[in-house]
Amino acid sequence: MSQGIFGIIDFRNAIADRDVLGNAMAAYLKMSGRGDFSFSAGSGHLIGMQRSAADSPSRQTRIEHDPDAGLTAVIHGEVNNYRELLSQHPPSGRPCRGDLDLVLRMYRRSGASFARSINGLFTIGILDEREKTFRLMNDRFGLAHQLYWTVADGRLIFATHLKTLLACPGVRRELDHEGLNLFLKYAYITSPWSILKGINKLPPGHMLTFRDGKAETVPYWQFDAVTRPDMTMEEAIPAYRDLLRGAIARRMGSDGSTGVMLSGGLDSSANAALAASCSSTPVKTFAIGFEDPRFDERPFARIVARHFGTDHHEYTITGREIDDLPSLVWHMEEPYFEFGLFLAYMGLKSASGHVQAVIGGEGADQMYGTGGFAGGRPAAVHYLFRKSGMIGPARGVSRLLRGPLFYDRDNLGFQMRLFWNRAADLNDWYFYGYDGHELSQLYKNDSLARVPRIFGEAEGSPESFAQVYQETQIEQDMRHYVNENVMVKSGRMADMLGLVLRESFLDADVADFLVSLPMPVKRGGGLVDHLRGRFKSKLLHRKAMEGILPPEIMSKPKQGGFVPVMIFLNDPALRKRIYDRLLRSEVMGEYFRTDYLRTLFEKYESFQQGPVGWPNFLNSKANRILFLLTFDIWHHCYLANAPLGVTPPSLNEYLG
């Protein structure tokens, strides 16, 4: 049910066999897509686009041309502020045909800088035949699809799907171990790396310019620093509430076919409340829960659904969903296995038969610096290490935290290692994957175990904890985590299920406003409070929702947002089949030590014999097995076979 764009650009040499190349690259979208497919070809280019109208009359579903100016435009995604932009750029002469027509008008007037004014999740490509230039622009949050590209013999080849890119003759399929190691450590692969050598991903907020046979990528947009340092809470509350309501109104569509993902937490409940206020009919809401009450938020989702009269739907994750893993890997296109994968998948799957589009709450934690890297104590301790000049010695201590006490026991030593490493080096914040020490043991050739450092070193002594927190929130939570993980996961799953994904908290106006505010408006407590773990998160959001959300929601602690992945390995018979598969796997045997794998599996079996003290200890151990299984499945689908020739089996079938 995919939509997307692709193309080949070569201004220096005429592209021979354009029909053959175009048909090869169009095969995936035509096979699995929905909406209208359009194609444009000239002596030096071929470009394809598949897009549905969804519930928006301004969405153009065909490639747009301006023959007088020599321009051609394609888009994947949405322009949510189309009406506002149209009023700012009124058409002269004929009426505007839709969002792509508007894009070309804006490009003619403002050049490539026009993209900064678009509020939405998008990738836009513009071919300028007069200037012999082709440009690709990703929105600030990287859309739902990372854009793959490569240059071969002076020719740019790009696509929103890796399957589409690999269908082009001449594109290499060779494993990149740095990309693989990013996955094994972080659970996903951040741009500009990909899992394949020579194939790059366009980072969020960046523009790729291709001319004279060369591609250059530069950021075209940056988050500003705090620009409203004196704004009070009393001033911020009504402004924020209006912005969030406006963001949801822009995303609701016009025919009642947009639903809301409702976890029962503060963010999704706010979405449901404000969506209900924008709709004359009951809004459809979708909740996911678990049999284990420690992780189940459905009781809170029901409170919200009753309070706002939504048409409510629920699904319970049991662990049996792991049987869909090969299909998910095939659709994700790169190795990916993060705590929220099956939560996003089952939530969107439960909505797919009822609505065309869904509003999600992704990014809210990162907008407030409450999730991911900008945690409470680790960020505070990191600040103290930097302020005191002890960051180097602290990293030296990290290298001493080795041995079974810190890796293989469900104790304070295990938790201390994770905390210390995270505070000493923000590159060592990860979802309980393999760290560098473990990778060097896993590989047969430890020279292949290098993990790229995705964050640069901080320079000098910071002025304040608030400064460090703001830097961490913007550079890591927002630019990295929400872009490279959260949005990729949710976007790919929505694409798989034929849904349009819309994010209220990633609205450009909402995001710009939140970033502009000083830390005390967004987060309560100073350095000491964070060290003691007594800070208050999402301060403005909580204040703005008072009197709107039921009191039970206002007072509930943070609970969900992930799946306890250990439930996928509850069945001893399934575990044994996974172990057997990985031990006989050719790619496992080619790169990894069999004795290490056997020990890994034996230890996991021993952990089943005793009580679980800290759930994330067992989750981390389950992750290590599931990461390897995911990579094995991906290799089968994308390297051992041509991906378009693979019909993803169930996990039961895959294990044999």
Side-chain angles (χ1 to χ4, degrees), residues 96-154:
C96 185
R97 289 191 287 263
D99 51 8
L100 265 183
D101 189 6
L102 178 61
V103 161
L104 285 184
R105 293 173 188 234
M106 293 168 64
Y107 178 78
R108 287 198 308 269
R109 295 175 184 175
S110 307
S113 64
F114 82 91
R116 287 198 286 266
S117 63
I118 295 181
N119 188 341
L121 303 178
F122 61 85
T123 298
I124 292 172
I126 296 180
L127 175 70
D128 190 329
E129 295 191 80
R130 290 184 179 178
E131 292 187 2
K132 301 297 182 185
T133 300
F134 182 74
R135 292 183 173 92
L136 284 164
M137 287 148 279
N138 257 354
D139 71 273
R140 64 179 71 184
F141 294 111
L143 186 60
H145 286 178
Q146 295 169 309
L147 185 109
Y148 297 93
W149 65 274
T150 187
V151 173
D153 298 324

Side-chain angles (χ1 to χ4, degrees), residues 398-418 435 437-438 441 596 599 603 606-607 617 620-621 624:
S398 294
R399 291 189 286 272
L400 300 177
L401 303 180
R402 300 286 187 257
L405 176 66
F406 300 103
Y407 279 89
D408 298 330
R409 296 176 189 170
D410 184 5
N411 60 12
L412 288 177
F414 181 86
Q415 296 182 45
M416 186 188 104
R417 175 179 62 85
L418 293 180
D435 64 13
H437 172 65
E438 291 171 299
Q441 295 180 308
Y596 185 90
T599 300
K603 287 179 179 177
S606 71
F607 299 144
F617 172 80
S620 74
K621 302 307 179 184
R624 282 157 173 72

Side-chain angles (χ1 to χ4, degrees), residues 18-133:
R18 288 194 298 272
D19 290 341
V20 173
L21 292 173
N23 288 333
M25 295 188 73
Y28 171 64
L29 291 178
K30 287 184 174 181
M31 173 183 71
S32 66
R34 68 185 181 100
D36 293 335
F37 180 83
S38 57
F39 188 74
S40 172
S43 64
H45 80 273
L46 61 89
I47 303 174
M49 180 177 91
Q50 184 147 287
R51 195 184 193 206
S52 72
D55 57 356
S56 173
S58 66
R59 283 169 63 103
Q60 289 181 257
T61 61
R62 312 286 295 179
I63 293 172
E64 181 68 13
H65 301 276
D66 183 341
D68 294 336
L71 299 175
T72 300
V74 292
I75 186 173
H76 176 55
E78 292 194 297
V79 177
N80 296 128
N81 61 336
Y82 172 77
R83 293 182 183 276
E84 295 95 319
L85 291 174
L86 188 60
S87 67
Q88 297 166 16
H89 302 272
S92 56
R94 62 173 176 80
C96 185
R97 289 191 287 263
D99 51 8
L100 265 183
D101 189 6
L102 178 61
V103 161
L104 285 184
R105 293 173 188 234
M106 293 168 64
Y107 178 78
R108 287 198 308 269
R109 295 175 184 175
S110 307
S113 64
F114 82 91
R116 287 198 286 266
S117 63
I118 295 181
N119 188 341
L121 303 178
F122 61 85
T123 298
I124 292 172
I126 296 180
L127 175 70
D128 190 329
E129 295 191 80
R130 290 184 179 178
E131 292 187 2
K132 301 297 182 185
T133 300

Side-chain angles (χ1 to χ4, degrees), residues 291-310:
E291 295 172 336
D292 189 332
R294 291 177 299 172
F295 308 106
D296 190 18
E297 291 187 287
R298 285 175 301 168
F300 295 99
R302 292 168 195 151
I303 291 171
V304 175
R306 286 195 298 268
H307 190 83
F308 295 104
T310 72

